[in-house]
Amino acid sequence: MNLISKIKEKFVNYRNIVLAAGMLLALNSTPALTNSQAENIKLNLEAKTSVVQATSIPYQQGWPVQTGGEINSSPALADLDGDGKLEVIIGSDDGKVYAWHHDGSLVDGWPQQTNGWVRSSPAVADLDGDGDTEIIVGSGDGKVYAWDLPGKFDASKVPWKMFRRDLQHTGSYHTFDDILTNYWSYHEIEAIYRAGITKGCVANNKEFIYCPSSQVRRDEMAAFLQRALGLPTTPSPFTIPYFGDVPRDYWAFKEIQAICKAGITKGCVSDDPSTRWKNEAKYCPENNVRRDEMAAFLQRAKGLPLYAGSQIFNDIPLDYWSFGEIGAIYQEGITKGCLENPLRYCPGSNVRRDEMAAFLFRAFLK
């Protein structure tokens, strides 16, 4: 059962009314969803009883917690102290902004006082670009408050940063800012993230993104496959690089070494055995991965037997260099081709990151 189904099974939400186990609760703010501890789904509800109830399946120890006034604010969720677990930040009509750890204990230095009730939802961001975390909130005294926290801001650890989560006000839980729940490969991308196969493509500290339309490079492919298979990446400082264009200080050196050792890659240029003291072998780490190459990577990674049957795809003849590899991943259900009527594979097309998520999901997680 997926996250939304589990929540619908427990709660029926209509505007500000939540039906929970036969009880009607009047709510003045929206819930925030997270799986912050990776073992339970949390549903945070703020009722008019001045109590913040972190309701999970089962209930979370340490909750509910009490404020000094009614709660009309909606929560933000962020890892404020860098411990890998989320804090809940919310305002109250007592004029204070509260921050609790996942276990219901107050964060040191909180709550913070304003001079009016706080009914706006806190926002969490790196407001001034200094790398630290700021919490911003409006108050009934007509002022907007911003507190500068010492912890480093990491967008990947702020899953619910403002009212209804994001600038689009989707109100839905999704890991990457550029992959909403209606994206065609949302479930596959979420799955490979949860499995530790991808870390996204964060270019700066402002947002956590996946870059679904970007093309997959060969160095990225090595990282995907090493993580998916759990291959060891502990070469000694004296390890001789397999490829002349991937030195020890290359960002994916360990991953490329690992998949080469496992027989998953042969590189893009072979070594010349006649030049004994020179390594001509190359991996071409910055080259894009084509769909025919992707088939070879996955066939070797999965250890699938080469396909030797009749022609499957209209554009993959029997003598095509990766005919056996493409047939193998088709038989395994990893690829469905690129076009129908006639069925085509598009072997020369580059693989996009959203497509790669689907391939990886079918290959290793389905």
Side-chain angles (χ1 to χ4, degrees):
M1 185 181 296
N2 61 30
L3 183 149
I4 298 300
S5 298
K6 288 181 179 179
I7 292 169
K8 285 182 177 178
E9 184 181 58
K10 274 261 191 189
F11 301 93
V12 179
N13 193 346
Y14 179 73
R15 293 189 178 178
N16 292 331
I17 303 297
V18 172
L19 178 62
M23 297 181 293
L24 283 176
L25 301 177
L27 302 182
N28 292 341
S29 62
T30 62
L33 298 174
T34 178
N35 58 347
S36 60
Q37 295 188 74
E39 76 266 10
N40 286 323
I41 299 167
K42 307 296 186 299
L43 178 59
N44 300 290
L45 301 173
E46 311 78 51
K48 199 172 180 179
T49 57
S50 307
V51 174
V52 177
Q53 173 67 62
T55 305
S56 65
I57 310 172
Y59 286 93
Q60 175 72 9
Q61 185 175 3
W63 299 80
V65 292
Q66 188 79 42
T67 74
E70 288 187 1
I71 297 177
N72 294 279
S73 171
S74 296
L77 304 174
D79 181 6
L80 299 178
D81 53 11
D83 65 352
K85 298 178 181 179
L86 297 180
E87 279 72 50
V88 178
I89 309 106
I90 197 168
S92 173
D93 277 9
D94 62 4
K96 296 179 181 178
V97 178
Y98 292 79
W100 295 279
H101 294 294
H102 71 281
D103 60 2
S105 61
L106 279 168
V107 175
D108 289 345
W110 295 81
Q112 293 288 335
Q113 184 72 55
T114 74
N115 293 318
W117 39 252
V118 180
R119 295 183 175 179
S120 65
S121 177
V124 182
D126 179 8
L127 188 63
D128 52 7
D130 65 352
D132 294 340
T133 301
E134 281 80 48
I135 294 177
I136 308 99
V137 71
S139 173
D141 61 7
K143 297 178 181 178
V144 177
Y145 292 77
W147 293 277
D148 189 0
L149 279 66
K152 181 180 179 182
F153 180 77
D154 184 346
S156 69
K157 296 178 180 178
V158 188
W160 204 281
K161 63 190 70 175
M162 62 184 68
F163 175 71
R164 291 188 59 80
R165 188 192 183 276
D166 48 38
L167 289 172
Q168 294 79 24
H169 301 311
T170 61
S172 63
Y173 185 84
H174 50 277
T175 298
F176 297 104
D177 293 330
D178 56 347
I179 305 294
L180 303 184
T181 54
N182 61 351
Y183 195 80
W184 76 267
S185 57
Y186 162 79
H187 294 290
E188 291 85 350
I189 292 169
E190 287 285 327
I192 66 170
Y193 174 75
R194 304 287 171 219
I197 298 174
T198 185
K199 300 178 181 179
C201 67
V202 180
N204 55 54
N205 219 20
K206 303 298 181 184
E207 55 187 353
F208 192 45
I209 55 178
Y210 182 74
C211 306
S213 61
S214 295
Q215 296 171 346
V216 177
R217 305 194 326 176
R218 287 173 60 87
D219 49 7
E220 295 172 323
M221 175 64 82
F224 284 142
L225 295 178
Q226 179 274 321
R227 295 172 195 148
L229 294 170
L231 299 175
T233 57
T234 54
S236 75
F238 307 103
T239 299
I240 298 174
Y242 289 123
F243 302 105
D245 58 348
V246 184
R248 292 186 187 89
D249 59 355
Y250 192 79
W251 77 266
F253 171 73
K254 293 180 180 180
E255 291 84 354
I256 293 170
Q257 290 282 116
I259 67 166
C260 183
K261 185 176 180 179
I264 298 171
T265 185
K266 300 175 182 178
C268 62
V269 177
S270 299
D271 188 25
D272 184 353
S274 66
T275 55
R276 185 177 178 184
W277 304 109
K278 186 178 180 181
N279 182 11
E280 285 99 354
K282 292 184 179 180
Y283 183 73
C284 305
E286 296 183 353
N287 285 6
N288 293 325
V289 177
R290 305 191 332 169
R291 287 173 60 90
D292 50 6
E293 297 171 322
M294 180 275 300
F297 275 121
L298 291 182
Q299 178 268 326
R300 296 174 194 145
K302 291 281 291 180
L304 301 175
L306 292 174
Y307 175 74
S310 58
Q311 185 173 353
I312 299 172
F313 296 102
N314 184 264
D315 55 350
I316 305 294
L318 296 176
D319 59 353
Y320 194 81
W321 76 268
S322 58
F323 172 84
E325 291 86 345
I326 294 170
I329 67 168
Y330 176 78
Q331 292 287 93
E332 190 71 8
I334 297 172
T335 184
K336 302 175 182 178
C338 64
L339 293 171
E340 297 179 350
N341 298 321
L343 186 61
R344 298 173 64 86
Y345 182 72
C346 306
S349 298
N350 293 329
V351 181
R352 300 186 353 156
R353 286 174 59 87
D354 50 4
E355 297 171 325
M356 195 66 232
F359 291 133
L360 291 166
F361 172 79
R362 296 175 197 145
F364 300 106
L365 301 176
K366 194 171 181 180

